[in-house]
Amino acid sequence: MTRLARMMIYPIKSLSGVNVTKSEVLPSGGLRNDHRWAIVDEEGHFVNGKRTAAVHAIRAEYASGLNSVTLSHPAMPSGDFSFDDGRPALSEWLSKALQLKCKLIENLETGFPDDLEAPGPTIVSSGTLEEVACWFSISPEEAHRRFRANLVIEASEPFWEDRLVGEIGSPVPFTIGNIAWLGVNPCQRCVVPSRDSLTGVPQLG
């Protein structure tokens, strides 16, 4: 028997996540407010952990309702910003923290998913997090911060989530609560899970 143990959304792509107890599923299949905002440079390219390790040092804490955010960085004063009218100041703060001219953009309808062809939530089992934590001698909580999955399924078997995907072109149907999903493909991870989630320092397993 398995159950949904945890649900996370990441309002600003590449920054800290938020534990939630419920979420609306968008027509695209994604979770509302997940990856709703993204940091981009002057050329419109995403500023993320894969390209810019400096994002690891930024912490984000969101107000109830996700109408504002508090950003902090070890080398800068913290800042409180409204998403409605404080985005220019927020973009300026991010530019200083990252030492890179950038701004915050928004997509309320679909967000900015990592996989444009499969924008639904990412899933991992608690058993997988525990197994990977052993590889790197870290805690399961740190493993989750590195993998940034939306849904954690309570299952002791490592890589239990592999059963939710099949051959290419053959989605696997499953349900979580009263929502029907189709498992499409494994999410290809980049270099980010091999780094300390708070410092960005690489760690060999």
Side-chain angles (χ1 to χ4, degrees):
M1 187 71 178
T2 58
R3 70 178 185 91
L4 179 62
R6 188 174 189 179
M7 180 161 52
M8 296 279 293
I9 60 172
Y10 299 86
I12 300 179
K13 185 182 179 77
S14 299
L15 296 188
S16 313
V18 179
N19 278 296
V20 294
T21 57
K22 61 182 179 179
S23 180
E24 177 185 348
V25 179
L26 298 171
S28 66
L31 303 180
R32 182 167 296 282
N33 292 320
D34 185 48
H35 290 62
R36 176 174 171 177
W37 293 278
I39 308 167
V40 295
D41 62 20
E42 291 184 290
E43 297 180 348
H45 298 138
F46 289 130
V47 177
N48 52 34
K50 181 178 180 179
R51 296 180 59 232
T52 310
V55 300
H56 291 287
I58 298 175
R59 306 264 70 78
E61 295 185 12
Y62 303 90
S64 177
L66 298 180
N67 57 354
S68 65
V69 62
T70 298
L71 298 178
S72 58
H73 185 281
M76 289 181 58
S78 298
D80 298 316
F81 306 98
S82 165
F83 285 118
D84 293 328
D85 54 15
R87 228 177 297 175
L90 193 160
S91 297
E92 182 180 355
W93 190 98
L94 288 169
S95 296
K96 291 179 179 178
L98 297 170
Q99 299 184 14
L100 172 71
K101 185 67 175 177
C102 57
K103 64 179 180 179
L104 201 70
I105 59 174
E106 179 183 21
N107 188 325
L108 185 60
E109 299 301 320
T110 62
F112 299 96
D114 293 332
D115 189 336
L116 297 176
E117 296 183 2
T122 51
I123 300 175
V124 70
S125 71
S126 57
T128 297
L129 295 176
E130 291 171 3
E131 178 71 13
V132 173
C134 289
W135 295 351
F136 289 95
S137 298
I138 57 177
S139 68
E141 179 66 22
E142 168 65 3
H144 186 227
R145 285 197 297 267
R146 294 186 184 192
F147 278 89
R148 301 173 60 80
N150 294 118
L151 308 179
V152 178
I153 302 297
E154 187 175 278
S156 59
E157 177 187 342
F159 312 109
W160 177 94
E161 63 277 9
D162 286 353
R163 68 187 64 196
L164 301 181
V165 295
E167 299 295 328
I168 296 176
S170 300
V172 176
F174 63 96
T175 60
I176 298 178
N178 60 355
I179 303 295
W181 303 90
L182 290 175
V184 179
N185 62 274
C187 180
Q188 301 297 319
R189 297 307 302 162
C190 58
V191 68
V192 171
S194 66
R195 297 179 186 156
D196 185 293
S197 67
L198 301 179
T199 65
V201 176
Q203 178 183 1
L204 298 177

